[in-house]
Amino acid sequence: MGLVPDRVHTSPIADPGSLTDLLDGDDSVSCWIRHGDGMIGIGAAHRATFRTAAQAEAWWTDLVASTPATRDAGVADEPMTGPVAFVSFPFAPDGPHEIVVPRRIVGRREGVCWMTTWDGDETDDTPARTPAGTDTPTGADLCFHHASLGHDGWTAAVSDAVAAIHAGGVDKVVLARDEVAVADDPIDLPRVLARLASMYPQTWTFAVRNLVGASPELLVRQDRGLITSRVLAGTIHGDLDDSVLADALSSSSKDLAEHEFAVASVADALRPHVTSLHVPEVPFVLQLPNVMHLASDITGAVRGGSTVLELADAIHPSAAVCGTPTNAARDLIATLEHLDRGRYAGPVGWINAAGDGEIALALRCGMIEGATARIFAGCGIVADSDPEAEWDETVAKLLPMKQALGAR
């Protein structure tokens, strides 16, 4: 289980600059960054694997209750300060639910900077900076190959999914595929994170137990009784002017239908846990460097006693990563996808001692194990989906990880 800390201590620190520059190259890298702010974790005071989210949360609750936490007077009332654990849960309900408590966390949000230690170390000094940079090679120079489904297998699977939708029983299904590459040397994880955070600042750049990515989709945030969920479904990409693409996306009946399924699934899952909920009637267009998405920000007030992990567990799997109805879509995925998703498309993020935190969906991501990289992309399939267009969409969604890895 790692170190047994005698206490947790949080101190204010000077601005450390780029957070990704503080990461070292071992396998105990944790990260949660957006627009340059967030947290990075160094080492592991505790780490554990469970079969369910409830077991992981019970372990975290017990750990927090048994570990004295102190803070200096100058530490701001910031949800990321104090005891924090990083979590990464699987897409399937029976996969490994990972939870990591870094030995040291360095954080920054809106000019407030701090360090939290789990080993009794009270030093206010930040770790030595070893700039990763973003414009130099990762040392990987990878060439990716199709793993589960190549082009023909993928388009056939999409065609079968469309046929199943027309036959009834399922309205939407999300299919995914993966690609794999092996480098000559171990892949530089901090450099990959630095590139993702620099190229895709609007997303949540994350790392938990070798799962690394830059997700545009926030499954749920809970902050002192208020919750937010950013739902994405419906995608467009291409070489046309941005305004033309945005107009095409916002008027696409196919994409609007796909988005409506995703929003409804999240809203329905949240309603039993909230006292109020606001669901936008019309989505907005979220523009990223490589694609555009239809997006809706659902907000509300949570009932007392709920935690961010409970809310994430209630929502997952939403129609954005599975389909609708859920069980029918999951069965169709198992038949057509030929892929063990692992923690791809599962909840990933952090939780604090009060049960607040942020959980995204593990999208635009990959598993990095030594010199091997396995990356994923998926698409929502509805009645009028075109197999070739869905293939092109996966190519666009794989691009962020390929860029970050320096792939050919």
Side-chain angles (χ1 to χ4, degrees), residues 32 172 202-204 206 214-220 229-233 259 262-263 266 286 288 293-294 296 315 318-321 346 348 359-364:
W32 185 262
K172 172 187 174 181
Q202 311 98 315
T203 68
W204 287 267
F206 62 86
S215 177
E217 187 156 0
L218 185 69
L219 189 63
V220 63
S229 178
R230 171 162 289 184
V231 182
L232 303 185
H259 188 79
V263 169
V266 172
L286 176 66
L288 299 174
H293 297 290
L294 290 177
S296 292
I315 299 170
S318 73
V321 293
V348 61
I359 307 294
L361 285 170
L363 306 174
R364 314 295 196 274

PDB file of all heavy atoms in Angstrom, residues 32 172 202-204 206 214-220 229-233 259 262-263 266 286 288 293-294 296 315 318-321 346 348 359-364:
ATOM      1  N   TRP A  32      -3.906  16.601 -13.201  1.00  0.00           N
ATOM      2  CA  TRP A  32      -5.242  17.143 -13.499  1.00  0.00           C
ATOM      3  C   TRP A  32      -5.062  18.632 -13.768  1.00  0.00           C
ATOM      4  O   TRP A  32      -4.925  19.434 -12.857  1.00  0.00           O
ATOM      5  CB  TRP A  32      -6.190  16.920 -12.324  1.00  0.00           C
ATOM      6  CG  TRP A  32      -7.598  17.338 -12.618  1.00  0.00           C
ATOM      7  CD1 TRP A  32      -8.189  18.522 -12.272  1.00  0.00           C
ATOM      8  CD2 TRP A  32      -8.587  16.587 -13.313  1.00  0.00           C
ATOM      9  NE1 TRP A  32      -9.488  18.551 -12.707  1.00  0.00           N
ATOM     10  CE2 TRP A  32      -9.764  17.371 -13.349  1.00  0.00           C
ATOM     11  CE3 TRP A  32      -8.601  15.330 -13.914  1.00  0.00           C
ATOM     12  CZ2 TRP A  32     -10.940  16.926 -13.961  1.00  0.00           C
ATOM     13  CZ3 TRP A  32      -9.768  14.892 -14.525  1.00  0.00           C
ATOM     14  CH2 TRP A  32     -10.925  15.677 -14.539  1.00  0.00           C
ATOM     15  N   LYS A 172     -29.142   4.390 -29.865  1.00  0.00           N
ATOM     16  CA  LYS A 172     -27.785   4.878 -30.104  1.00  0.00           C
ATOM     17  C   LYS A 172     -26.807   3.906 -29.480  1.00  0.00           C
ATOM     18  O   LYS A 172     -27.072   3.341 -28.413  1.00  0.00           O
ATOM     19  CB  LYS A 172     -27.589   6.270 -29.481  1.00  0.00           C
ATOM     20  CG  LYS A 172     -26.151   6.773 -29.520  1.00  0.00           C
ATOM     21  CD  LYS A 172     -25.956   8.068 -28.737  1.00  0.00           C
ATOM     22  CE  LYS A 172     -24.494   8.461 -28.661  1.00  0.00           C
ATOM     23  NZ  LYS A 172     -24.269   9.697 -27.883  1.00  0.00           N
ATOM     24  N   GLN A 202      -8.208  23.766 -23.323  1.00  0.00           N
ATOM     25  CA  GLN A 202      -9.623  23.784 -22.935  1.00  0.00           C
ATOM     26  C   GLN A 202     -10.056  22.467 -22.310  1.00  0.00           C
ATOM     27  O   GLN A 202     -11.118  22.384 -21.695  1.00  0.00           O
ATOM     28  CB  GLN A 202     -10.521  24.056 -24.155  1.00  0.00           C
ATOM     29  CG  GLN A 202     -10.093  25.230 -25.008  1.00  0.00           C
ATOM     30  CD  GLN A 202      -9.281  24.769 -26.213  1.00  0.00           C
ATOM     31  OE1 GLN A 202      -8.387  23.941 -26.107  1.00  0.00           O
ATOM     32  NE2 GLN A 202      -9.601  25.337 -27.371  1.00  0.00           N
ATOM     33  N   THR A 203      -9.259  21.419 -22.476  1.00  0.00           N
ATOM     34  CA  THR A 203      -9.621  20.102 -21.974  1.00  0.00           C
ATOM     35  C   THR A 203      -9.029  19.880 -20.586  1.00  0.00           C
ATOM     36  O   THR A 203      -8.232  20.674 -20.096  1.00  0.00           O
ATOM     37  CB  THR A 203      -9.108  19.001 -22.917  1.00  0.00           C
ATOM     38  OG1 THR A 203      -7.675  18.967 -22.872  1.00  0.00           O
ATOM     39  CG2 THR A 203      -9.563  19.247 -24.352  1.00  0.00           C
ATOM     40  N   TRP A 204      -9.419  18.777 -19.973  1.00  0.00           N
ATOM     41  CA  TRP A 204      -8.849  18.367 -18.696  1.00  0.00           C
ATOM     42  C   TRP A 204      -7.747  17.360 -18.978  1.00  0.00           C
ATOM     43  O   TRP A 204      -8.019  16.205 -19.349  1.00  0.00           O
ATOM     44  CB  TRP A 204      -9.928  17.762 -17.800  1.00  0.00           C
ATOM     45  CG  TRP A 204     -10.884  18.769 -17.250  1.00  0.00           C
ATOM     46  CD1 TRP A 204     -10.787  19.423 -16.060  1.00  0.00           C
ATOM     47  CD2 TRP A 204     -12.083  19.262 -17.868  1.00  0.00           C
ATOM     48  NE1 TRP A 204     -11.855  20.286 -15.893  1.00  0.00           N
ATOM     49  CE2 TRP A 204     -12.654  20.216 -16.987  1.00  0.00           C
ATOM     50  CE3 TRP A 204     -12.733  18.998 -19.084  1.00  0.00           C
ATOM     51  CZ2 TRP A 204     -13.840  20.886 -17.275  1.00  0.00           C
ATOM     52  CZ3 TRP A 204     -13.904  19.673 -19.380  1.00  0.00           C
ATOM     53  CH2 TRP A 204     -14.452  20.607 -18.489  1.00  0.00           C
ATOM     54  N   PHE A 206      -5.121  14.753 -17.948  1.00  0.00           N
ATOM     55  CA  PHE A 206      -5.110  13.885 -16.780  1.00  0.00           C
ATOM     56  C   PHE A 206      -4.096  12.756 -16.927  1.00  0.00           C
ATOM     57  O   PHE A 206      -3.698  12.379 -18.027  1.00  0.00           O
ATOM     58  CB  PHE A 206      -6.501  13.271 -16.544  1.00  0.00           C
ATOM     59  CG  PHE A 206      -6.978  12.382 -17.675  1.00  0.00           C
ATOM     60  CD1 PHE A 206      -6.629  11.040 -17.729  1.00  0.00           C
ATOM     61  CD2 PHE A 206      -7.787  12.887 -18.685  1.00  0.00           C
ATOM     62  CE1 PHE A 206      -7.063  10.220 -18.772  1.00  0.00           C
ATOM     63  CE2 PHE A 206      -8.228  12.086 -19.735  1.00  0.00           C
ATOM     64  CZ  PHE A 206      -7.861  10.743 -19.766  1.00  0.00           C
ATOM     65  N   ALA A 214      -6.429  13.899 -22.589  1.00  0.00           N
ATOM     66  CA  ALA A 214      -6.913  15.278 -22.529  1.00  0.00           C
ATOM     67  C   ALA A 214      -8.395  15.247 -22.872  1.00  0.00           C
ATOM     68  O   ALA A 214      -8.774  15.307 -24.040  1.00  0.00           O
ATOM     69  CB  ALA A 214      -6.145  16.164 -23.503  1.00  0.00           C
ATOM     70  N   SER A 215      -9.226  15.129 -21.848  1.00  0.00           N
ATOM     71  CA  SER A 215     -10.659  14.925 -22.066  1.00  0.00           C
ATOM     72  C   SER A 215     -11.403  16.250 -22.190  1.00  0.00           C
ATOM     73  O   SER A 215     -11.223  17.147 -21.366  1.00  0.00           O
ATOM     74  CB  SER A 215     -11.258  14.125 -20.912  1.00  0.00           C
ATOM     75  OG  SER A 215     -12.666  13.992 -21.091  1.00  0.00           O
ATOM     76  N   PRO A 216     -12.299  16.368 -23.179  1.00  0.00           N
ATOM     77  CA  PRO A 216     -13.131  17.568 -23.275  1.00  0.00           C
ATOM     78  C   PRO A 216     -14.443  17.439 -22.512  1.00  0.00           C
ATOM     79  O   PRO A 216     -15.226  18.382 -22.492  1.00  0.00           O
ATOM     80  CB  PRO A 216     -13.400  17.656 -24.781  1.00  0.00           C
ATOM     81  CG  PRO A 216     -13.449  16.225 -25.210  1.00  0.00           C
ATOM     82  CD  PRO A 216     -12.453  15.482 -24.346  1.00  0.00           C
ATOM     83  N   GLU A 217     -14.696  16.280 -21.893  1.00  0.00           N
ATOM     84  CA  GLU A 217     -16.020  16.007 -21.325  1.00  0.00           C
ATOM     85  C   GLU A 217     -15.950  15.803 -19.821  1.00  0.00           C
ATOM     86  O   GLU A 217     -15.351  14.830 -19.340  1.00  0.00           O
ATOM     87  CB  GLU A 217     -16.651  14.789 -21.999  1.00  0.00           C
ATOM     88  CG  GLU A 217     -18.085  14.554 -21.574  1.00  0.00           C
ATOM     89  CD  GLU A 217     -18.884  13.761 -22.590  1.00  0.00           C
ATOM     90  OE1 GLU A 217     -18.314  13.379 -23.639  1.00  0.00           O
ATOM     91  OE2 GLU A 217     -20.073  13.528 -22.344  1.00  0.00           O
ATOM     92  N   LEU A 218     -16.587  16.701 -19.066  1.00  0.00           N
ATOM     93  CA  LEU A 218     -16.648  16.620 -17.611  1.00  0.00           C
ATOM     94  C   LEU A 218     -17.897  15.847 -17.216  1.00  0.00           C
ATOM     95  O   LEU A 218     -19.015  16.328 -17.383  1.00  0.00           O
ATOM     96  CB  LEU A 218     -16.672  18.021 -17.005  1.00  0.00           C
ATOM     97  CG  LEU A 218     -16.608  18.096 -15.481  1.00  0.00           C
ATOM     98  CD1 LEU A 218     -15.228  17.664 -14.983  1.00  0.00           C
ATOM     99  CD2 LEU A 218     -16.917  19.508 -15.001  1.00  0.00           C
ATOM    100  N   LEU A 219     -17.697  14.651 -16.677  1.00  0.00           N
ATOM    101  CA  LEU A 219     -18.831  13.835 -16.258  1.00  0.00           C
ATOM    102  C   LEU A 219     -19.591  14.523 -15.136  1.00  0.00           C
ATOM    103  O   LEU A 219     -20.812  14.687 -15.194  1.00  0.00           O
ATOM    104  CB  LEU A 219     -18.337  12.456 -15.812  1.00  0.00           C
ATOM    105  CG  LEU A 219     -19.405  11.405 -15.538  1.00  0.00           C
ATOM    106  CD1 LEU A 219     -20.193  11.093 -16.796  1.00  0.00           C
ATOM    107  CD2 LEU A 219     -18.763  10.132 -14.985  1.00  0.00           C
ATOM    108  N   VAL A 220     -18.872  14.951 -14.090  1.00  0.00           N
ATOM    109  CA  VAL A 220     -19.519  15.689 -13.014  1.00  0.00           C
ATOM    110  C   VAL A 220     -18.482  16.393 -12.153  1.00  0.00           C
ATOM    111  O   VAL A 220     -17.413  15.860 -11.885  1.00  0.00           O
ATOM    112  CB  VAL A 220     -20.406  14.766 -12.140  1.00  0.00           C
ATOM    113  CG1 VAL A 220     -19.589  13.692 -11.443  1.00  0.00           C
ATOM    114  CG2 VAL A 220     -21.224  15.568 -11.138  1.00  0.00           C
ATOM    115  N   SER A 229     -22.171  19.260 -15.024  1.00  0.00           N
ATOM    116  CA  SER A 229     -21.797  18.176 -15.930  1.00  0.00           C
ATOM    117  C   SER A 229     -21.773  18.729 -17.348  1.00  0.00           C
ATOM    118  O   SER A 229     -22.760  19.312 -17.802  1.00  0.00           O
ATOM    119  CB  SER A 229     -22.791  17.014 -15.839  1.00  0.00           C
ATOM    120  OG  SER A 229     -22.457  15.988 -16.753  1.00  0.00           O
ATOM    121  N   ARG A 230     -20.634  18.586 -18.027  1.00  0.00           N
ATOM    122  CA  ARG A 230     -20.544  19.019 -19.423  1.00  0.00           C
ATOM    123  C   ARG A 230     -20.727  17.799 -20.318  1.00  0.00           C
ATOM    124  O   ARG A 230     -19.889  16.887 -20.332  1.00  0.00           O
ATOM    125  CB  ARG A 230     -19.214  19.697 -19.716  1.00  0.00           C
ATOM    126  CG  ARG A 230     -18.974  19.967 -21.201  1.00  0.00           C
ATOM    127  CD  ARG A 230     -17.897  20.997 -21.455  1.00  0.00           C
ATOM    128  NE  ARG A 230     -18.367  22.336 -21.083  1.00  0.00           N
ATOM    129  CZ  ARG A 230     -17.650  23.442 -21.268  1.00  0.00           C
ATOM    130  NH1 ARG A 230     -16.451  23.381 -21.824  1.00  0.00           N
ATOM    131  NH2 ARG A 230     -18.130  24.608 -20.900  1.00  0.00           N
ATOM    132  N   VAL A 231     -21.803  17.785 -21.062  1.00  0.00           N
ATOM    133  CA  VAL A 231     -22.143  16.652 -21.929  1.00  0.00           C
ATOM    134  C   VAL A 231     -21.756  16.989 -23.358  1.00  0.00           C
ATOM    135  O   VAL A 231     -22.152  18.040 -23.889  1.00  0.00           O
ATOM    136  CB  VAL A 231     -23.645  16.336 -21.859  1.00  0.00           C
ATOM    137  CG1 VAL A 231     -23.977  15.127 -22.721  1.00  0.00           C
ATOM    138  CG2 VAL A 231     -24.073  16.104 -20.408  1.00  0.00           C
ATOM    139  N   LEU A 232     -20.988  16.107 -23.984  1.00  0.00           N
ATOM    140  CA  LEU A 232     -20.605  16.260 -25.387  1.00  0.00           C
ATOM    141  C   LEU A 232     -21.147  15.096 -26.198  1.00  0.00           C
ATOM    142  O   LEU A 232     -21.011  13.939 -25.808  1.00  0.00           O
ATOM    143  CB  LEU A 232     -19.079  16.294 -25.548  1.00  0.00           C
ATOM    144  CG  LEU A 232     -18.288  17.343 -24.780  1.00  0.00           C
ATOM    145  CD1 LEU A 232     -16.818  17.267 -25.186  1.00  0.00           C
ATOM    146  CD2 LEU A 232     -18.830  18.737 -25.028  1.00  0.00           C
ATOM    147  N   ALA A 233     -21.743  15.396 -27.310  1.00  0.00           N
ATOM    148  CA  ALA A 233     -22.146  14.374 -28.284  1.00  0.00           C
ATOM    149  C   ALA A 233     -22.533  15.112 -29.550  1.00  0.00           C
ATOM    150  O   ALA A 233     -23.264  16.109 -29.492  1.00  0.00           O
ATOM    151  CB  ALA A 233     -23.305  13.528 -27.763  1.00  0.00           C
ATOM    152  N   HIS A 259     -26.849  14.079 -29.550  1.00  0.00           N
ATOM    153  CA  HIS A 259     -26.626  14.896 -28.362  1.00  0.00           C
ATOM    154  C   HIS A 259     -27.804  14.803 -27.397  1.00  0.00           C
ATOM    155  O   HIS A 259     -27.615  14.735 -26.165  1.00  0.00           O
ATOM    156  CB  HIS A 259     -26.414  16.354 -28.778  1.00  0.00           C
ATOM    157  CG  HIS A 259     -25.992  17.240 -27.654  1.00  0.00           C
ATOM    158  ND1 HIS A 259     -24.702  17.276 -27.194  1.00  0.00           N
ATOM    159  CD2 HIS A 259     -26.693  18.113 -26.884  1.00  0.00           C
ATOM    160  CE1 HIS A 259     -24.617  18.136 -26.195  1.00  0.00           C
ATOM    161  NE2 HIS A 259     -25.818  18.652 -25.987  1.00  0.00           N
ATOM    162  N   ALA A 262     -27.596  11.811 -25.170  1.00  0.00           N
ATOM    163  CA  ALA A 262     -26.556  11.916 -24.144  1.00  0.00           C
ATOM    164  C   ALA A 262     -27.008  12.830 -23.002  1.00  0.00           C
ATOM    165  O   ALA A 262     -26.818  12.518 -21.821  1.00  0.00           O
ATOM    166  CB  ALA A 262     -25.258  12.434 -24.760  1.00  0.00           C
ATOM    167  N   VAL A 263     -27.608  13.965 -23.332  1.00  0.00           N
ATOM    168  CA  VAL A 263     -28.066  14.903 -22.308  1.00  0.00           C
ATOM    169  C   VAL A 263     -29.149  14.263 -21.444  1.00  0.00           C
ATOM    170  O   VAL A 263     -29.135  14.367 -20.204  1.00  0.00           O
ATOM    171  CB  VAL A 263     -28.584  16.200 -22.953  1.00  0.00           C
ATOM    172  CG1 VAL A 263     -29.307  17.067 -21.934  1.00  0.00           C
ATOM    173  CG2 VAL A 263     -27.427  16.972 -23.571  1.00  0.00           C
ATOM    174  N   VAL A 266     -27.735  11.746 -18.817  1.00  0.00           N
ATOM    175  CA  VAL A 266     -27.076  12.368 -17.673  1.00  0.00           C
ATOM    176  C   VAL A 266     -28.108  13.022 -16.756  1.00  0.00           C
ATOM    177  O   VAL A 266     -28.063  12.872 -15.523  1.00  0.00           O
ATOM    178  CB  VAL A 266     -26.025  13.394 -18.142  1.00  0.00           C
ATOM    179  CG1 VAL A 266     -25.484  14.189 -16.954  1.00  0.00           C
ATOM    180  CG2 VAL A 266     -24.888  12.692 -18.881  1.00  0.00           C
ATOM    181  N   LEU A 286     -18.752  23.643 -28.983  1.00  0.00           N
ATOM    182  CA  LEU A 286     -17.448  23.710 -28.332  1.00  0.00           C
ATOM    183  C   LEU A 286     -16.372  23.476 -29.390  1.00  0.00           C
ATOM    184  O   LEU A 286     -16.320  22.418 -30.012  1.00  0.00           O
ATOM    185  CB  LEU A 286     -17.342  22.644 -27.242  1.00  0.00           C
ATOM    186  CG  LEU A 286     -15.982  22.534 -26.541  1.00  0.00           C
ATOM    187  CD1 LEU A 286     -15.678  23.793 -25.735  1.00  0.00           C
ATOM    188  CD2 LEU A 286     -15.926  21.294 -25.651  1.00  0.00           C
ATOM    189  N   LEU A 288     -12.597  22.882 -30.440  1.00  0.00           N
ATOM    190  CA  LEU A 288     -11.271  22.430 -30.050  1.00  0.00           C
ATOM    191  C   LEU A 288     -10.349  22.556 -31.259  1.00  0.00           C
ATOM    192  O   LEU A 288     -10.822  22.755 -32.383  1.00  0.00           O
ATOM    193  CB  LEU A 288     -11.331  20.990 -29.544  1.00  0.00           C
ATOM    194  CG  LEU A 288     -12.212  20.756 -28.316  1.00  0.00           C
ATOM    195  CD1 LEU A 288     -12.305  19.258 -28.005  1.00  0.00           C
ATOM    196  CD2 LEU A 288     -11.698  21.522 -27.115  1.00  0.00           C
ATOM    197  N   HIS A 293     -17.628  20.070 -31.109  1.00  0.00           N
ATOM    198  CA  HIS A 293     -18.640  19.213 -30.505  1.00  0.00           C
ATOM    199  C   HIS A 293     -19.864  20.045 -30.151  1.00  0.00           C
ATOM    200  O   HIS A 293     -19.759  21.225 -29.802  1.00  0.00           O
ATOM    201  CB  HIS A 293     -18.134  18.583 -29.204  1.00  0.00           C
ATOM    202  CG  HIS A 293     -16.966  17.674 -29.366  1.00  0.00           C
ATOM    203  ND1 HIS A 293     -17.055  16.444 -29.989  1.00  0.00           N
ATOM    204  CD2 HIS A 293     -15.683  17.794 -28.965  1.00  0.00           C
ATOM    205  CE1 HIS A 293     -15.878  15.846 -29.958  1.00  0.00           C
ATOM    206  NE2 HIS A 293     -15.022  16.652 -29.356  1.00  0.00           N
ATOM    207  N   LEU A 294     -21.025  19.401 -30.184  1.00  0.00           N
ATOM    208  CA  LEU A 294     -22.181  19.966 -29.511  1.00  0.00           C
ATOM    209  C   LEU A 294     -22.019  19.711 -28.016  1.00  0.00           C
ATOM    210  O   LEU A 294     -21.673  18.610 -27.598  1.00  0.00           O
ATOM    211  CB  LEU A 294     -23.474  19.308 -30.003  1.00  0.00           C
ATOM    212  CG  LEU A 294     -23.898  19.642 -31.443  1.00  0.00           C
ATOM    213  CD1 LEU A 294     -25.159  18.866 -31.800  1.00  0.00           C
ATOM    214  CD2 LEU A 294     -24.112  21.139 -31.626  1.00  0.00           C
ATOM    215  N   SER A 296     -23.471  20.695 -23.833  1.00  0.00           N
ATOM    216  CA  SER A 296     -24.463  21.240 -22.907  1.00  0.00           C
ATOM    217  C   SER A 296     -23.909  21.163 -21.496  1.00  0.00           C
ATOM    218  O   SER A 296     -23.401  20.111 -21.088  1.00  0.00           O
ATOM    219  CB  SER A 296     -25.784  20.464 -22.973  1.00  0.00           C
ATOM    220  OG  SER A 296     -26.437  20.650 -24.207  1.00  0.00           O
ATOM    221  N   ILE A 315     -24.134   8.243 -12.918  1.00  0.00           N
ATOM    222  CA  ILE A 315     -24.231   8.659 -14.320  1.00  0.00           C
ATOM    223  C   ILE A 315     -23.638   7.628 -15.268  1.00  0.00           C
ATOM    224  O   ILE A 315     -24.191   7.349 -16.342  1.00  0.00           O
ATOM    225  CB  ILE A 315     -23.512  10.007 -14.533  1.00  0.00           C
ATOM    226  CG1 ILE A 315     -24.146  11.113 -13.697  1.00  0.00           C
ATOM    227  CG2 ILE A 315     -23.529  10.402 -16.014  1.00  0.00           C
ATOM    228  CD1 ILE A 315     -23.332  12.397 -13.689  1.00  0.00           C
ATOM    229  N   SER A 318     -22.941   6.869 -19.387  1.00  0.00           N
ATOM    230  CA  SER A 318     -23.944   7.705 -20.035  1.00  0.00           C
ATOM    231  C   SER A 318     -24.042   7.328 -21.509  1.00  0.00           C
ATOM    232  O   SER A 318     -23.219   6.581 -22.047  1.00  0.00           O
ATOM    233  CB  SER A 318     -23.575   9.185 -19.905  1.00  0.00           C
ATOM    234  OG  SER A 318     -22.477   9.491 -20.751  1.00  0.00           O
ATOM    235  N   ALA A 319     -25.046   7.899 -22.157  1.00  0.00           N
ATOM    236  CA  ALA A 319     -25.216   7.634 -23.586  1.00  0.00           C
ATOM    237  C   ALA A 319     -24.071   8.194 -24.410  1.00  0.00           C
ATOM    238  O   ALA A 319     -23.882   7.804 -25.570  1.00  0.00           O
ATOM    239  CB  ALA A 319     -26.540   8.222 -24.065  1.00  0.00           C
ATOM    240  N   ALA A 320     -23.276   9.104 -23.829  1.00  0.00           N
ATOM    241  CA  ALA A 320     -22.148   9.686 -24.559  1.00  0.00           C
ATOM    242  C   ALA A 320     -21.055   8.669 -24.829  1.00  0.00           C
ATOM    243  O   ALA A 320     -20.299   8.801 -25.802  1.00  0.00           O
ATOM    244  CB  ALA A 320     -21.577  10.864 -23.782  1.00  0.00           C
ATOM    245  N   VAL A 321     -20.925   7.642 -23.973  1.00  0.00           N
ATOM    246  CA  VAL A 321     -19.866   6.653 -24.157  1.00  0.00           C
ATOM    247  C   VAL A 321     -20.391   5.229 -24.312  1.00  0.00           C
ATOM    248  O   VAL A 321     -19.631   4.312 -24.615  1.00  0.00           O
ATOM    249  CB  VAL A 321     -18.850   6.682 -22.993  1.00  0.00           C
ATOM    250  CG1 VAL A 321     -18.070   7.985 -23.000  1.00  0.00           C
ATOM    251  CG2 VAL A 321     -19.540   6.459 -21.656  1.00  0.00           C
ATOM    252  N   GLY A 346     -14.035   5.506 -19.155  1.00  0.00           N
ATOM    253  CA  GLY A 346     -14.494   5.419 -17.779  1.00  0.00           C
ATOM    254  C   GLY A 346     -14.269   6.728 -17.045  1.00  0.00           C
ATOM    255  O   GLY A 346     -13.626   7.656 -17.555  1.00  0.00           O
ATOM    256  N   VAL A 348     -12.604   9.464 -14.656  1.00  0.00           N
ATOM    257  CA  VAL A 348     -11.238   9.763 -14.226  1.00  0.00           C
ATOM    258  C   VAL A 348     -11.214  11.166 -13.630  1.00  0.00           C
ATOM    259  O   VAL A 348     -11.855  12.074 -14.160  1.00  0.00           O
ATOM    260  CB  VAL A 348     -10.241   9.655 -15.400  1.00  0.00           C
ATOM    261  CG1 VAL A 348     -10.561  10.635 -16.518  1.00  0.00           C
ATOM    262  CG2 VAL A 348      -8.813   9.826 -14.926  1.00  0.00           C
ATOM    263  N   ILE A 359     -14.745  14.829 -11.976  1.00  0.00           N
ATOM    264  CA  ILE A 359     -14.601  13.560 -12.673  1.00  0.00           C
ATOM    265  C   ILE A 359     -14.925  13.777 -14.147  1.00  0.00           C
ATOM    266  O   ILE A 359     -16.022  14.220 -14.491  1.00  0.00           O
ATOM    267  CB  ILE A 359     -15.535  12.475 -12.100  1.00  0.00           C
ATOM    268  CG1 ILE A 359     -15.354  12.341 -10.589  1.00  0.00           C
ATOM    269  CG2 ILE A 359     -15.283  11.148 -12.799  1.00  0.00           C
ATOM    270  CD1 ILE A 359     -14.008  11.833 -10.148  1.00  0.00           C
ATOM    271  N   ALA A 360     -13.973  13.484 -15.007  1.00  0.00           N
ATOM    272  CA  ALA A 360     -14.184  13.563 -16.451  1.00  0.00           C
ATOM    273  C   ALA A 360     -14.391  12.162 -17.005  1.00  0.00           C
ATOM    274  O   ALA A 360     -14.301  11.160 -16.283  1.00  0.00           O
ATOM    275  CB  ALA A 360     -12.983  14.225 -17.120  1.00  0.00           C
ATOM    276  N   LEU A 361     -14.670  12.087 -18.284  1.00  0.00           N
ATOM    277  CA  LEU A 361     -14.655  10.811 -18.981  1.00  0.00           C
ATOM    278  C   LEU A 361     -13.286  10.646 -19.634  1.00  0.00           C
ATOM    279  O   LEU A 361     -12.763  11.582 -20.237  1.00  0.00           O
ATOM    280  CB  LEU A 361     -15.751  10.756 -20.055  1.00  0.00           C
ATOM    281  CG  LEU A 361     -17.171  10.565 -19.519  1.00  0.00           C
ATOM    282  CD1 LEU A 361     -18.185  10.772 -20.630  1.00  0.00           C
ATOM    283  CD2 LEU A 361     -17.333   9.174 -18.915  1.00  0.00           C
ATOM    284  N   ALA A 362     -12.709   9.476 -19.503  1.00  0.00           N
ATOM    285  CA  ALA A 362     -11.376   9.220 -20.044  1.00  0.00           C
ATOM    286  C   ALA A 362     -11.453   9.055 -21.562  1.00  0.00           C
ATOM    287  O   ALA A 362     -11.546   7.954 -22.097  1.00  0.00           O
ATOM    288  CB  ALA A 362     -10.770   7.982 -19.401  1.00  0.00           C
ATOM    289  N   LEU A 363     -11.422  10.200 -22.253  1.00  0.00           N
ATOM    290  CA  LEU A 363     -11.458  10.257 -23.712  1.00  0.00           C
ATOM    291  C   LEU A 363     -10.188  10.911 -24.213  1.00  0.00           C
ATOM    292  O   LEU A 363      -9.441  11.515 -23.450  1.00  0.00           O
ATOM    293  CB  LEU A 363     -12.673  11.060 -24.172  1.00  0.00           C
ATOM    294  CG  LEU A 363     -14.025  10.593 -23.630  1.00  0.00           C
ATOM    295  CD1 LEU A 363     -15.125  11.565 -24.049  1.00  0.00           C
ATOM    296  CD2 LEU A 363     -14.346   9.180 -24.096  1.00  0.00           C
ATOM    297  N   ARG A 364      -9.938  10.818 -25.539  1.00  0.00           N
ATOM    298  CA  ARG A 364      -8.705  11.344 -26.147  1.00  0.00           C
ATOM    299  C   ARG A 364      -7.520  10.898 -25.299  1.00  0.00           C
ATOM    300  O   ARG A 364      -6.701  11.701 -24.853  1.00  0.00           O
ATOM    301  CB  ARG A 364      -8.714  12.868 -26.239  1.00  0.00           C
ATOM    302  CG  ARG A 364      -9.975  13.477 -26.752  1.00  0.00           C
ATOM    303  CD  ARG A 364     -10.305  13.129 -28.216  1.00  0.00           C
ATOM    304  NE  ARG A 364     -11.309  14.062 -28.704  1.00  0.00           N
ATOM    305  CZ  ARG A 364     -12.625  13.900 -28.545  1.00  0.00           C
ATOM    306  NH1 ARG A 364     -13.073  12.834 -27.895  1.00  0.00           N
ATOM    307  NH2 ARG A 364     -13.479  14.780 -29.028  1.00  0.00           N
TER     308      ARG A 364
END
